PDB file of all heavy atoms in Angstrom:
ATOM      1  N   LYS A   1      83.974  98.973  84.725  1.00 98.00           N
ATOM      2  CA  LYS A   1      84.481  97.806  85.516  1.00 98.00           C
ATOM      3  C   LYS A   1      84.953  98.215  86.886  1.00 98.00           C
ATOM      4  O   LYS A   1      85.721  99.142  86.925  1.00 98.00           O
ATOM      5  CB  LYS A   1      85.562  97.064  84.711  1.00 98.00           C
ATOM      6  CG  LYS A   1      86.086  95.900  85.404  1.00 98.00           C
ATOM      7  CD  LYS A   1      87.068  95.205  84.508  1.00 98.00           C
ATOM      8  CE  LYS A   1      87.555  93.879  84.966  1.00 98.00           C
ATOM      9  NZ  LYS A   1      88.488  93.169  83.980  1.00 98.00           N
ATOM     10  N   LEU A   2      84.453  97.666  87.909  1.00 97.00           N
ATOM     11  CA  LEU A   2      84.952  97.909  89.274  1.00 97.00           C
ATOM     12  C   LEU A   2      85.817  96.773  89.822  1.00 97.00           C
ATOM     13  O   LEU A   2      85.592  95.619  89.613  1.00 97.00           O
ATOM     14  CB  LEU A   2      83.779  98.151  90.230  1.00 97.00           C
ATOM     15  CG  LEU A   2      84.133  98.513  91.604  1.00 97.00           C
ATOM     16  CD1 LEU A   2      83.065  99.560  92.211  1.00 97.00           C
ATOM     17  CD2 LEU A   2      84.207  97.333  92.609  1.00 97.00           C
ATOM     18  N   LEU A   3      86.892  97.203  90.429  1.00 96.00           N
ATOM     19  CA  LEU A   3      87.876  96.323  91.135  1.00 96.00           C
ATOM     20  C   LEU A   3      87.993  96.595  92.625  1.00 96.00           C
ATOM     21  O   LEU A   3      87.996  97.797  92.903  1.00 96.00           O
ATOM     22  CB  LEU A   3      89.198  96.355  90.401  1.00 96.00           C
ATOM     23  CG  LEU A   3      89.347  96.142  88.950  1.00 96.00           C
ATOM     24  CD1 LEU A   3      90.786  96.318  88.455  1.00 96.00           C
ATOM     25  CD2 LEU A   3      88.862  94.794  88.509  1.00 96.00           C
ATOM     26  N   TYR A   4      88.079  95.718  93.415  1.00 96.00           N
ATOM     27  CA  TYR A   4      88.453  95.926  94.855  1.00 96.00           C
ATOM     28  C   TYR A   4      89.923  96.268  94.945  1.00 96.00           C
ATOM     29  O   TYR A   4      90.791  95.632  94.381  1.00 96.00           O
ATOM     30  CB  TYR A   4      88.220  94.701  95.660  1.00 96.00           C
ATOM     31  CG  TYR A   4      86.736  94.259  95.873  1.00 96.00           C
ATOM     32  CD1 TYR A   4      86.322  93.022  95.418  1.00 96.00           C
ATOM     33  CD2 TYR A   4      85.884  95.112  96.439  1.00 96.00           C
ATOM     34  CE1 TYR A   4      84.977  92.641  95.596  1.00 96.00           C
ATOM     35  CE2 TYR A   4      84.569  94.783  96.629  1.00 96.00           C
ATOM     36  CZ  TYR A   4      84.142  93.509  96.270  1.00 96.00           C
ATOM     37  OH  TYR A   4      82.847  93.187  96.363  1.00 96.00           O
ATOM     38  N   ALA A   5      90.180  97.379  95.615  1.00 96.00           N
ATOM     39  CA  ALA A   5      91.551  97.773  95.856  1.00 96.00           C
ATOM     40  C   ALA A   5      92.210  96.810  96.765  1.00 96.00           C
ATOM     41  O   ALA A   5      91.743  96.254  97.730  1.00 96.00           O
ATOM     42  CB  ALA A   5      91.666  99.171  96.495  1.00 96.00           C
ATOM     43  N   ILE A   6      93.536  96.599  96.450  1.00 94.00           N
ATOM     44  CA  ILE A   6      94.437  95.759  97.352  1.00 94.00           C
ATOM     45  C   ILE A   6      95.275  96.718  98.217  1.00 94.00           C
ATOM     46  O   ILE A   6      95.877  97.638  97.700  1.00 94.00           O
ATOM     47  CB  ILE A   6      95.340  94.868  96.486  1.00 94.00           C
ATOM     48  CG1 ILE A   6      94.508  94.023  95.486  1.00 94.00           C
ATOM     49  CG2 ILE A   6      96.149  93.997  97.442  1.00 94.00           C
ATOM     50  CD1 ILE A   6      93.481  93.079  96.140  1.00 94.00           C
ATOM     51  N   ALA A   7      95.306  96.444  99.522  1.00 93.00           N
ATOM     52  CA  ALA A   7      96.038  97.366 100.363  1.00 93.00           C
ATOM     53  C   ALA A   7      97.589  96.873 100.516  1.00 93.00           C
ATOM     54  O   ALA A   7      97.800  95.877 101.119  1.00 93.00           O
ATOM     55  CB  ALA A   7      95.448  97.321 101.808  1.00 93.00           C
ATOM     56  N   TYR A   8      98.433  97.676  99.793  1.00 92.00           N
ATOM     57  CA  TYR A   8      99.855  97.335  99.790  1.00 92.00           C
ATOM     58  C   TYR A   8     100.539  98.016 100.996  1.00 92.00           C
ATOM     59  O   TYR A   8     101.708  97.711 101.326  1.00 92.00           O
ATOM     60  CB  TYR A   8     100.499  97.669  98.507  1.00 92.00           C
ATOM     61  CG  TYR A   8     100.067  96.759  97.415  1.00 92.00           C
ATOM     62  CD1 TYR A   8      99.061  97.152  96.461  1.00 92.00           C
ATOM     63  CD2 TYR A   8     100.594  95.431  97.285  1.00 92.00           C
ATOM     64  CE1 TYR A   8      98.621  96.220  95.434  1.00 92.00           C
ATOM     65  CE2 TYR A   8     100.205  94.665  96.216  1.00 92.00           C
ATOM     66  CZ  TYR A   8      99.263  94.990  95.398  1.00 92.00           C
ATOM     67  OH  TYR A   8      98.845  94.097  94.431  1.00 92.00           O
ATOM     68  N   ASP A   9      99.895  98.984 101.468  1.00 92.00           N
ATOM     69  CA  ASP A   9     100.394  99.844 102.617  1.00 92.00           C
ATOM     70  C   ASP A   9      99.534  99.640 103.821  1.00 92.00           C
ATOM     71  O   ASP A   9      98.281  99.662 103.734  1.00 92.00           O
ATOM     72  CB  ASP A   9     100.462 101.346 102.242  1.00 92.00           C
ATOM     73  CG  ASP A   9     101.170 102.196 103.205  1.00 92.00           C
ATOM     74  OD1 ASP A   9     101.139 101.931 104.409  1.00 92.00           O
ATOM     75  OD2 ASP A   9     101.849 103.147 102.793  1.00 92.00           O
ATOM     76  N   LYS A  10     100.100  99.461 104.989  1.00 92.00           N
ATOM     77  CA  LYS A  10      99.283  99.160 106.272  1.00 92.00           C
ATOM     78  C   LYS A  10      98.345 100.353 106.443  1.00 92.00           C
ATOM     79  O   LYS A  10      97.255 100.151 107.018  1.00 92.00           O
ATOM     80  CB  LYS A  10     100.208  98.900 107.408  1.00 92.00           C
ATOM     81  CG  LYS A  10     101.008  97.678 107.384  1.00 92.00           C
ATOM     82  CD  LYS A  10     101.860  97.466 108.567  1.00 92.00           C
ATOM     83  CE  LYS A  10     102.576  96.188 108.544  1.00 92.00           C
ATOM     84  NZ  LYS A  10     103.440  95.950 109.736  1.00 92.00           N
ATOM     85  N   LYS A  11      98.768 101.512 106.080  1.00 91.00           N
ATOM     86  CA  LYS A  11      97.871 102.717 106.257  1.00 91.00           C
ATOM     87  C   LYS A  11      96.622 102.590 105.430  1.00 91.00           C
ATOM     88  O   LYS A  11      95.583 103.226 105.790  1.00 91.00           O
ATOM     89  CB  LYS A  11      98.595 104.024 105.930  1.00 91.00           C
ATOM     90  CG  LYS A  11      99.743 104.288 106.834  1.00 91.00           C
ATOM     91  CD  LYS A  11     100.392 105.564 106.462  1.00 91.00           C
ATOM     92  CE  LYS A  11     101.131 105.549 105.098  1.00 91.00           C
ATOM     93  NZ  LYS A  11     101.754 106.797 104.752  1.00 91.00           N
ATOM     94  N   MET A  12      96.595 101.779 104.408  1.00 92.00           N
ATOM     95  CA  MET A  12      95.402 101.718 103.500  1.00 92.00           C
ATOM     96  C   MET A  12      94.458 100.554 103.881  1.00 92.00           C
ATOM     97  O   MET A  12      93.377 100.424 103.313  1.00 92.00           O
ATOM     98  CB  MET A  12      95.891 101.427 102.066  1.00 92.00           C
ATOM     99  CG  MET A  12      96.528 102.701 101.500  1.00 92.00           C
ATOM    100  SD  MET A  12      95.429 104.092 101.305  1.00 92.00           S
ATOM    101  CE  MET A  12      94.167 103.490 100.274  1.00 92.00           C
ATOM    102  N   ILE A  13      94.812  99.705 104.832  1.00 94.00           N
ATOM    103  CA  ILE A  13      94.064  98.569 105.229  1.00 94.00           C
ATOM    104  C   ILE A  13      92.631  98.936 105.604  1.00 94.00           C
ATOM    105  O   ILE A  13      91.613  98.398 105.255  1.00 94.00           O
ATOM    106  CB  ILE A  13      94.795  97.698 106.316  1.00 94.00           C
ATOM    107  CG1 ILE A  13      95.981  97.085 105.816  1.00 94.00           C
ATOM    108  CG2 ILE A  13      93.802  96.604 106.826  1.00 94.00           C
ATOM    109  CD1 ILE A  13      96.793  96.334 106.880  1.00 94.00           C
ATOM    110  N   LYS A  14      92.554  99.969 106.413  1.00 94.00           N
ATOM    111  CA  LYS A  14      91.245 100.451 106.956  1.00 94.00           C
ATOM    112  C   LYS A  14      90.316 100.923 105.865  1.00 94.00           C
ATOM    113  O   LYS A  14      89.100 100.910 106.003  1.00 94.00           O
ATOM    114  CB  LYS A  14      91.411 101.558 107.947  1.00 94.00           C
ATOM    115  CG  LYS A  14      92.018 102.922 107.367  1.00 94.00           C
ATOM    116  CD  LYS A  14      92.084 103.926 108.504  1.00 94.00           C
ATOM    117  CE  LYS A  14      92.623 105.300 107.943  1.00 94.00           C
ATOM    118  NZ  LYS A  14      93.985 105.164 107.397  1.00 94.00           N
ATOM    119  N   ASN A  15      90.850 101.285 104.722  1.00 94.00           N
ATOM    120  CA  ASN A  15      90.036 101.679 103.514  1.00 94.00           C
ATOM    121  C   ASN A  15      89.532 100.580 102.672  1.00 94.00           C
ATOM    122  O   ASN A  15      88.794 100.725 101.736  1.00 94.00           O
ATOM    123  CB  ASN A  15      90.781 102.614 102.692  1.00 94.00           C
ATOM    124  CG  ASN A  15      91.147 103.926 103.442  1.00 94.00           C
ATOM    125  OD1 ASN A  15      90.315 104.439 104.187  1.00 94.00           O
ATOM    126  ND2 ASN A  15      92.367 104.426 103.290  1.00 94.00           N
ATOM    127  N   SER A  16      90.021  99.351 102.969  1.00 96.00           N
ATOM    128  CA  SER A  16      89.582  98.120 102.121  1.00 96.00           C
ATOM    129  C   SER A  16      88.147  97.955 102.257  1.00 96.00           C
ATOM    130  O   SER A  16      87.622  98.074 103.405  1.00 96.00           O
ATOM    131  CB  SER A  16      90.357  96.864 102.551  1.00 96.00           C
ATOM    132  OG  SER A  16      89.741  95.751 102.011  1.00 96.00           O
ATOM    133  N   LEU A  17      87.372  97.679 101.245  1.00 97.00           N
ATOM    134  CA  LEU A  17      86.000  97.416 101.251  1.00 97.00           C
ATOM    135  C   LEU A  17      85.578  96.106 102.023  1.00 97.00           C
ATOM    136  O   LEU A  17      84.420  95.904 102.341  1.00 97.00           O
ATOM    137  CB  LEU A  17      85.421  97.397  99.834  1.00 97.00           C
ATOM    138  CG  LEU A  17      85.442  98.766  99.194  1.00 97.00           C
ATOM    139  CD1 LEU A  17      84.873  98.675  97.802  1.00 97.00           C
ATOM    140  CD2 LEU A  17      84.607  99.789  99.997  1.00 97.00           C
ATOM    141  N   PHE A  18      86.618  95.370 102.352  1.00 96.00           N
ATOM    142  CA  PHE A  18      86.389  94.112 103.127  1.00 96.00           C
ATOM    143  C   PHE A  18      85.745  94.622 104.537  1.00 96.00           C
ATOM    144  O   PHE A  18      84.904  93.838 105.101  1.00 96.00           O
ATOM    145  CB  PHE A  18      87.670  93.379 103.471  1.00 96.00           C
ATOM    146  CG  PHE A  18      87.475  92.204 104.171  1.00 96.00           C
ATOM    147  CD1 PHE A  18      87.009  90.932 103.639  1.00 96.00           C
ATOM    148  CD2 PHE A  18      87.648  92.109 105.554  1.00 96.00           C
ATOM    149  CE1 PHE A  18      86.848  89.769 104.404  1.00 96.00           C
ATOM    150  CE2 PHE A  18      87.443  90.946 106.372  1.00 96.00           C
ATOM    151  CZ  PHE A  18      87.052  89.860 105.715  1.00 96.00           C
ATOM    152  N   PHE A  19      86.138  95.736 104.984  1.00 96.00           N
ATOM    153  CA  PHE A  19      85.563  96.264 106.279  1.00 96.00           C
ATOM    154  C   PHE A  19      84.326  97.164 106.068  1.00 96.00           C
ATOM    155  O   PHE A  19      83.888  97.770 107.051  1.00 96.00           O
ATOM    156  CB  PHE A  19      86.623  97.128 107.008  1.00 96.00           C
ATOM    157  CG  PHE A  19      87.906  96.217 107.254  1.00 96.00           C
ATOM    158  CD1 PHE A  19      89.075  96.501 106.456  1.00 96.00           C
ATOM    159  CD2 PHE A  19      87.917  95.271 108.262  1.00 96.00           C
ATOM    160  CE1 PHE A  19      90.268  95.711 106.727  1.00 96.00           C
ATOM    161  CE2 PHE A  19      89.096  94.477 108.467  1.00 96.00           C
ATOM    162  CZ  PHE A  19      90.189  94.743 107.698  1.00 96.00           C
ATOM    163  N   HIS A  20      83.851  97.144 104.846  1.00 96.00           N
ATOM    164  CA  HIS A  20      82.669  98.033 104.518  1.00 96.00           C
ATOM    165  C   HIS A  20      81.757  97.297 103.602  1.00 96.00           C
ATOM    166  O   HIS A  20      81.316  97.761 102.631  1.00 96.00           O
ATOM    167  CB  HIS A  20      83.119  99.355 103.894  1.00 96.00           C
ATOM    168  CG  HIS A  20      84.132 100.173 104.731  1.00 96.00           C
ATOM    169  ND1 HIS A  20      83.776 101.011 105.767  1.00 96.00           N
ATOM    170  CD2 HIS A  20      85.513 100.065 104.660  1.00 96.00           C
ATOM    171  CE1 HIS A  20      84.890 101.451 106.266  1.00 96.00           C
ATOM    172  NE2 HIS A  20      85.899 101.008 105.670  1.00 96.00           N
ATOM    173  N   GLN A  21      81.429  95.989 103.984  1.00 96.00           N
ATOM    174  CA  GLN A  21      80.876  95.148 103.187  1.00 96.00           C
ATOM    175  C   GLN A  21      79.317  95.518 102.844  1.00 96.00           C
ATOM    176  O   GLN A  21      78.873  95.431 101.790  1.00 96.00           O
ATOM    177  CB  GLN A  21      80.848  93.675 103.759  1.00 96.00           C
ATOM    178  CG  GLN A  21      82.264  93.215 103.828  1.00 96.00           C
ATOM    179  CD  GLN A  21      82.344  91.784 104.263  1.00 96.00           C
ATOM    180  OE1 GLN A  21      81.380  91.028 104.358  1.00 96.00           O
ATOM    181  NE2 GLN A  21      83.562  91.340 104.626  1.00 96.00           N
ATOM    182  N   GLU A  22      78.624  95.928 103.912  1.00 96.00           N
ATOM    183  CA  GLU A  22      77.144  96.313 103.782  1.00 96.00           C
ATOM    184  C   GLU A  22      77.010  97.455 102.777  1.00 96.00           C
ATOM    185  O   GLU A  22      76.103  97.496 101.920  1.00 96.00           O
ATOM    186  CB  GLU A  22      76.475  96.580 105.078  1.00 96.00           C
ATOM    187  CG  GLU A  22      75.063  96.870 105.008  1.00 96.00           C
ATOM    188  CD  GLU A  22      74.410  96.939 106.352  1.00 96.00           C
ATOM    189  OE1 GLU A  22      75.093  96.710 107.453  1.00 96.00           O
ATOM    190  OE2 GLU A  22      73.225  97.354 106.422  1.00 96.00           O
ATOM    191  N   VAL A  23      77.876  98.513 103.022  1.00 97.00           N
ATOM    192  CA  VAL A  23      77.743  99.651 102.152  1.00 97.00           C
ATOM    193  C   VAL A  23      78.067  99.238 100.745  1.00 97.00           C
ATOM    194  O   VAL A  23      77.413  99.717  99.771  1.00 97.00           O
ATOM    195  CB  VAL A  23      78.747 100.736 102.641  1.00 97.00           C
ATOM    196  CG1 VAL A  23      78.861 101.906 101.570  1.00 97.00           C
ATOM    197  CG2 VAL A  23      78.264 101.294 103.957  1.00 97.00           C
ATOM    198  N   THR A  24      79.078  98.473 100.530  1.00 98.00           N
ATOM    199  CA  THR A  24      79.533  98.067  99.196  1.00 98.00           C
ATOM    200  C   THR A  24      78.373  97.345  98.429  1.00 98.00           C
ATOM    201  O   THR A  24      78.116  97.570  97.299  1.00 98.00           O
ATOM    202  CB  THR A  24      80.848  97.108  99.296  1.00 98.00           C
ATOM    203  OG1 THR A  24      81.869  97.796  99.954  1.00 98.00           O
ATOM    204  CG2 THR A  24      81.266  96.667  97.913  1.00 98.00           C
ATOM    205  N   ASN A  25      77.763  96.378  99.077  1.00 97.00           N
ATOM    206  CA  ASN A  25      76.745  95.546  98.467  1.00 97.00           C
ATOM    207  C   ASN A  25      75.532  96.519  98.110  1.00 97.00           C
ATOM    208  O   ASN A  25      74.941  96.288  97.069  1.00 97.00           O
ATOM    209  CB  ASN A  25      76.259  94.441  99.432  1.00 97.00           C
ATOM    210  CG  ASN A  25      77.361  93.293  99.524  1.00 97.00           C
ATOM    211  OD1 ASN A  25      78.182  93.266  98.692  1.00 97.00           O
ATOM    212  ND2 ASN A  25      77.155  92.441 100.474  1.00 97.00           N
TER     213      ASN A  25
END
């Protein structure tokens, strides 16, 4: 089962898959 990570730290925001949608799909 895969879950999208939630960014609780501002440093992690850039790693959110929201900004990497094409690769993720």
Side-chain angles (χ1 to χ4, degrees):
K1 180 176 186 177
L2 182 144
L3 307 175
Y4 290 120
I6 306 301
Y8 290 100
D9 190 324
K10 291 182 178 179
K11 293 183 293 185
M12 291 299 298
I13 293 177
K14 65 180 183 298
N15 295 317
S16 169
L17 291 179
F18 181 84
F19 301 106
H20 306 275
Q21 298 184 13
E22 186 175 348
V23 169
T24 301
N25 288 345

